[in-house]
Amino acid sequence: MNASGCGFPDAIRQCTDNALMGEASPEQGRKWRMKVNNQWIRGIWSDDGGKTVCFPDQTKLPFRLEICREGTSDALIRAIKSMQVRGAPLIGAAGAWAAAFLCREAETEEELQEGLKRIAEARPTAVNLQWAVRRVAAASEGLSGAARAARAQKAAEEICESDIESNRAIGGYFAAIIEEVYRKNGRPVRILTHCNAGWLATVDYGTALSGLYVAQEKGIPMEVWVDETRPRMQGLLTEWELREAGIPCTLIADNAGGYLMQQGEVDLVIVGADRIASNGDVANKVGTYLKALAAKDCGVPFYVAAPVSTVDFSMAEGVKSIPVEERSRSEVTDISGIGPDGDVIRVQVAGRETAVRNIAFDITPARLITGIVTEKGIFATGAGDRPFMAIIRSSPKNSYFQSVCRKFCLVKMRPLWFNNSRKISNSRGVSSMLPSEE
């Protein structure tokens, strides 16, 4: 179900249905981070006591904000496939709710297992989807009827709340890096990002953009270069999201980033991830690899932000092993925009006889990555046969990641020294204070 829109500057239309978006209130503001048109909003949220979920239709953004309400597993599978919901963490959250709805719908065990398989295969690259489906299935295993449905719903709710907590923690770690650069240079920090890894790609806060939002809360000035991110123009989502949040940003053509780095106009690059292999290779929106190559050549730090759930510990490396989705040719040959009458139209930019290959993701090798920012800390790559190991910055309390790595025997964590002031240093010369965990 879609909410109706109303007139809005620059031909953008905004949802004003307060039944679907949270009206601004102090209580809501303590729980939700993002506001659009003075209304609280998330990437996905439950309604009707968990009978339905609501989410912005991202195929309509940034030209029109429409809120969808769905209450069946099939509807959420369609939303995931069509990219009405997108971004690895949000796909995982939507998949969790799809699995919860399926636990309510399925009449037989065979129907349940077939449905879970369909959900998990809706998008092949983002590992969060399979992870979330497995988690909901495990939580409700051995139950039936109302008990199974209730336990599955609780698991989906827990996944969503955990995503918010993880993203806020990711933001704290990357905001510390932004602050470090600001203190060093004494001017606004210039950050380049690719695709969209903000709140639109998660339940709330985002991954790559979370650090920007936390830095904004600290009063740190920033200027953001936003790649347009062809072919789906997901950079427009980032520009819209940052502009709504009041963070200065400039949209650039995908191929302009290298030149800006050459000219010293980029201090940091931050991107999200759809899957991370155990050696630190990262799958993200196509074009990420080229940004990492340019950053390496120009000496610009290149960071990846993602929750631990994005790490696929079963995969030793990513360049040859991570499955890469290829999508419809029409995403390349056609493009959406605003027509003369103010309505959203789709325009053909290539001939129907044009041969097209639409590769949706690429793999950035670990050797090009400065650090991987997770909710458990920042991990360096490029340190041995299993380079996802050296901790740049983490809390001594965060032993979860190390225990998971030992369990899978795929990586060995090597914590670097901590002193009484909780300052960390490593062989790359990274040295800064940890964000407070009080």
Side-chain angles (χ1 to χ4, degrees):
M1 183 181 76
N2 291 325
S4 60
C6 66
F8 195 74
D10 299 326
I12 297 174
R13 294 178 180 174
Q14 201 81 22
C15 169
T16 57
D17 189 339
N18 292 335
L20 296 180
M21 295 174 68
E23 291 188 75
S25 68
E27 177 62 25
Q28 195 79 59
R30 282 192 287 270
K31 296 179 179 179
W32 295 35
R33 169 61 174 81
M34 301 302 161
K35 282 200 298 185
V36 173
N37 200 26
N38 201 38
Q39 294 173 312
W40 301 107
I41 190 169
R42 283 180 171 175
I44 193 168
W45 64 96
S46 63
D47 202 8
D48 297 332
K51 293 179 181 178
T52 62
V53 292
C54 300
F55 53 88
D57 183 348
Q58 298 197 35
T59 64
K60 304 293 178 60
L61 286 170
F63 310 113
R64 184 181 179 90
L65 176 57
E66 293 184 355
I67 306 301
C68 298
R69 185 200 298 272
E70 304 291 0
T72 69
S73 59
D74 283 343
L76 285 179
I77 290 172
R78 286 193 299 271
I80 292 169
K81 285 185 173 181
S82 67
M83 295 181 67
Q84 287 181 297
V85 294
R86 45 147 297 279
L90 184 59
I91 290 171
W97 277 107
F101 291 161
L102 180 67
C103 285
R104 185 177 67 200
E105 299 161 353
E107 297 181 356
T108 66
E109 182 65 22
E110 182 180 7
E111 186 179 345
L112 176 64
Q113 294 304 319
E114 288 178 355
L116 291 173
K117 185 173 183 292
R118 285 196 306 116
I119 297 167
E121 293 176 349
R123 293 288 303 278
T125 302
V127 72
N128 305 62
L129 178 57
Q130 293 93 47
W131 169 83
V133 171
R134 286 196 301 268
R135 182 166 167 180
V136 173
S140 57
E141 188 175 8
L143 301 175
S144 61
R148 181 178 70 187
R151 187 63 191 89
Q153 178 180 324
K154 182 179 179 183
E157 291 169 345
E158 290 171 349
I159 285 171
C160 290
E161 290 307 310
S162 175
D163 180 69
I164 297 168
E165 293 174 6
S166 295
N167 295 337
R168 172 71 191 195
I170 288 170
Y173 285 116
F174 191 63
I177 292 176
I178 297 173
E179 184 172 10
E180 191 174 79
V181 173
Y182 173 59
R183 300 302 176 199
K184 176 183 176 182
N185 296 334
R187 55 162 173 73
V189 182
R190 298 168 300 190
I191 302 167
L192 186 145
T193 190
H194 187 68
C195 196
N196 171 260
W199 69 262
L200 283 168
T202 67
V203 179
D204 209 345
Y205 273 96
T207 54
L209 299 189
S210 179
L212 280 63
Y213 293 131
V214 175
Q216 182 189 40
E217 292 169 3
K218 293 182 174 183
I220 300 170
M222 296 166 286
E223 298 171 354
V224 185
W225 300 110
V226 180
D227 281 352
E228 59 182 353
T229 318
R230 286 275 290 150
R232 292 189 65 94
M233 305 297 288
Q234 285 145 311
L236 295 180
L237 303 180
T238 296
E239 190 279 333
W240 176 79
E241 187 176 321
L242 292 174
R243 180 159 41 84
E244 287 287 333
I247 296 177
C249 58
T250 302
L251 185 70
I252 59 172
D254 279 347
N255 293 327
Y259 174 77
L260 291 172
M261 292 184 217
Q262 272 185 336
Q263 300 304 309
E265 296 190 49
V266 179
D267 298 313
L268 298 167
V269 179
I270 182 70
V271 299
D274 287 83
R275 187 182 301 215
I276 303 173
S278 64
N279 73 337
D281 292 346
V282 169
N284 193 49
K285 181 58 58 180
V286 68
T288 301
Y289 176 38
L290 295 179
K291 297 298 178 297
L293 286 170
K296 186 75 170 180
D297 186 57
C298 297
V300 176
F302 183 96
Y303 288 93
V304 173
V308 171
S309 59
T310 304
V311 182
D312 188 344
F313 291 102
S314 70
M315 196 162 283
E317 65 81 42
V319 174
K320 296 180 180 178
S321 303
I322 294 178
V324 172
E325 179 182 7
E326 298 198 28
R327 295 181 58 82
S328 167
R329 71 186 305 278
S330 65
E331 292 183 350
V332 177
T333 61
D334 298 8
I335 192 168
S336 295
I338 298 292
D341 59 357
D343 289 333
V344 179
I345 61 172
R346 195 138 177 95
V347 177
Q348 179 183 328
V349 295
R352 294 303 177 198
E353 302 303 317
T354 302
V356 174
R357 188 174 181 189
N358 184 13
I359 300 168
F361 301 91
D362 60 23
I363 315 298
T364 299
R367 61 183 169 81
L368 300 177
I369 299 168
T370 305
I372 296 176
V373 188
T374 77
E375 72 273 30
K376 305 301 177 182
I378 304 177
F379 297 85
T381 61
D385 293 336
R386 301 291 188 198
F388 192 29
M389 41 171 70
I391 301 176
I392 295 178
R393 184 172 314 188
S394 180
S395 164
K397 301 175 185 177
N398 283 337
S399 59
Y400 168 79
F401 199 92
Q402 290 91 321
S403 67
V404 170
C405 295
R406 286 195 295 270
K407 175 182 177 182
F408 283 89
C409 301
L410 288 172
V411 292
K412 297 177 181 179
M413 305 307 295
R414 300 195 303 190
L416 302 164
W417 61 267
F418 297 80
N419 65 19
N420 291 333
S421 65
R422 301 181 73 230
K423 189 174 183 179
I424 304 173
S425 181
N426 66 32
S427 60
R428 293 178 178 223
V430 175
S431 175
S432 70
M433 303 301 295
L434 285 168
S436 173
E437 293 190 348
E438 299 305 323

